[in-house]
Amino acid sequence: MPHVTPYVTPPLDSRALNRATLARQLLLERSDLPVLDAVAHLGGVQAQEPQEPFTGLWSRLRGFQPAALDCLLTGREVVRTHLMRRTVHLVTAEDALAWRARHDPMLRQRVLGTYRDELAGIDLAALAAAARAVVADGEARTMAEIVAALADRWPGPPRRVLGELVVAALLPMAQRPPRGLWRTKAGVRNVLLSSWLGRDIDPPPADDAAEDLVGQALVRRYLAAYGPAATADLRAWSGLAGLPAAVAAVRPELVAFRDTQGRELLDLPDAPRPDPGTPAPVRFLPAFDNALLGYADRTRIVDDAHRGLSVAGQRVVLVDGRVAATWTAEARGVAVTPLRPLRRAERDAVMDEGRALAAFLTDGESDLVRTV
């Protein structure tokens, strides 16, 4: 008879879920975690825009210094790579090696689904083998340089499409520094993960679902940083559809809740679930932050009317734990655009945190903040 997790009552409302999310995401109180441990706890940091992780970590870690992240990148302890949802994430080297094979089918399906007509009939195994031979020397190359070495054999697809297939799906690649370093503008140069980290990626998960230890670890890691959450939320964060068996395998370890819409939410039993009345400080989030994108149902942190802001790459400001404004960086400070009228105390708190962010972004040269 299958294990049935009893439901914890009463249902969790939006505010209870909000405070749990803020606590897991290190946004309810800045953490003293080392940068490497914070990146691991968060299950990676969204890094499509190379400078955004610095703001995300500044908002989460007490006394965060950009040099600490730079050292982890150049020291090969964290890497920039395509992973969850086929987007570029900053993840620990250990997670990149452990998780990549589990994400391979999704990465391929997403590229092939996007460019179905352009890539029709491509022999993926042959292309992967040829591309691996090009980059086997461990030298970092641009996507254009990799494609130039392959185009004679595969002249049909547009070069950009062929490059995305190779770099984002077929080969486990890292984006080598100086890409992603603080205040550094640098193009993407790709190198095999195995060459960069000196170790092959871990093998694909076992065919036996009960032995899919990587999938089970992903479930636990997701809930630690995002729970309580539904399986649809887990899919939204990871991009993986094939985790029901992993969820079933770890379910005896979990507690289950219902939200006010009746959805089942799973969680680790000892994970923080603060009192809904816990005060939440103002926080400035970077573009594409996973605190928003890591859920199918984002109403715990953003109103449906503003849901599209995160997908569009807008940076947002949390007031009382919810998206209440957007912000942009300016030459000498920060500009804030409220999405609703702010009470005087809220506005003062936004201005205080904005001044601190402006000082961070300008290396202490300015603390200017203005509302638009």
Side-chain angles (χ1 to χ4, degrees), residues 25 27 45-46 56 60 285-294 310:
Q25 285 289 304
L27 294 168
V45 178
Q46 229 285 353
R60 289 171 164 93
L285 296 186
F288 305 112
D289 196 282
N290 276 336
L292 277 74
L293 295 183
S310 56

Side-chain angles (χ1 to χ4, degrees), residues 260-316:
T260 54
Q261 284 72 50
R263 295 192 318 153
E264 180 184 67
L265 307 176
L266 300 175
D267 204 6
L268 303 174
D270 297 327
R273 289 178 289 274
D275 186 291
T278 304
V282 168
R283 290 289 184 256
F284 282 67
L285 296 186
F288 305 112
D289 196 282
N290 276 336
L292 277 74
L293 295 183
Y295 299 96
D297 179 5
R298 300 172 190 163
T299 56
R300 67 176 67 193
I301 200 166
V302 61
D303 295 340
D304 278 337
H306 304 308
R307 177 188 175 97
L309 292 173
S310 56
V311 178
Q314 292 278 349
R315 300 160 172 153
V316 300

Side-chain angles (χ1 to χ4, degrees), residues 64-78:
F64 171 70
Q65 296 296 320
L69 182 55
D70 282 357
C71 287
L72 293 174
L73 277 162
T74 57
R76 311 186 191 199
E77 294 183 80
V78 299

Side-chain angles (χ1 to χ4, degrees), residues 6-221:
Y7 289 110
V8 179
T9 56
L12 296 177
D13 63 16
S14 178
R15 190 173 177 89
L17 293 174
N18 175 269
R19 292 316 193 249
T21 294
L22 296 181
R24 312 295 175 87
Q25 285 289 304
L26 313 180
L27 294 168
L28 196 58
E29 181 180 0
R30 280 187 169 93
S31 172
D32 291 317
L33 282 174
V35 176
L36 182 65
D37 293 347
V39 173
H41 166 75
L42 295 167
V45 178
Q46 229 285 353
Q48 282 177 250
E49 300 295 332
Q51 294 297 298
E52 300 302 299
F54 292 95
T55 301
L57 291 169
W58 175 84
S59 288
R60 289 171 164 93
L61 301 180
R62 191 173 289 111
F64 171 70
Q65 296 296 320
L69 182 55
D70 282 357
C71 287
L72 293 174
L73 277 162
T74 57
R76 311 186 191 199
E77 294 183 80
V78 299
V79 295
R80 293 172 49 83
T81 188
H82 288 88
L83 207 57
M84 284 75 75
R85 308 186 300 278
R86 196 174 72 85
T87 56
V88 177
H89 274 72
L90 190 72
V91 295
T92 69
E94 290 300 315
D95 285 345
L97 293 168
W99 293 355
R100 172 56 200 239
R102 191 64 177 77
H103 286 74
D104 266 350
M106 177 272 294
L107 295 171
R108 295 187 181 202
Q109 289 165 7
R110 291 206 169 195
V111 176
L112 293 172
T114 301
Y115 302 113
R116 183 175 290 104
D117 294 337
E118 295 92 331
L119 295 171
I122 290 283
D123 185 331
L124 298 181
L127 177 58
R132 186 175 291 275
V134 171
V135 300
D137 59 5
E139 292 296 319
R141 291 174 171 82
T142 66
M143 188 168 71
E145 290 169 342
I146 296 171
V147 171
L150 302 169
D152 287 348
R153 288 185 60 185
W154 287 275
R159 290 196 169 200
R160 175 75 187 180
V161 173
L162 192 67
E164 281 195 39
L165 177 60
V166 170
V167 169
L170 294 186
L171 299 186
M173 306 289 274
Q175 296 184 356
R176 183 171 180 171
R179 180 74 169 178
L181 298 183
W182 177 241
R183 293 185 166 280
T184 300
K185 292 184 178 180
V188 177
R189 299 189 69 84
N190 305 283
V191 61
L192 281 172
L193 266 174
S194 55
S195 297
W196 183 241
L197 299 179
R199 189 183 115 192
D200 288 337
I201 67 169
D202 293 351
D207 291 336
D208 183 350
E211 297 301 320
D212 180 10
L213 301 182
V214 175
Q216 294 169 30
L218 278 168
V219 173
R220 297 186 189 97
R221 293 280 297 279

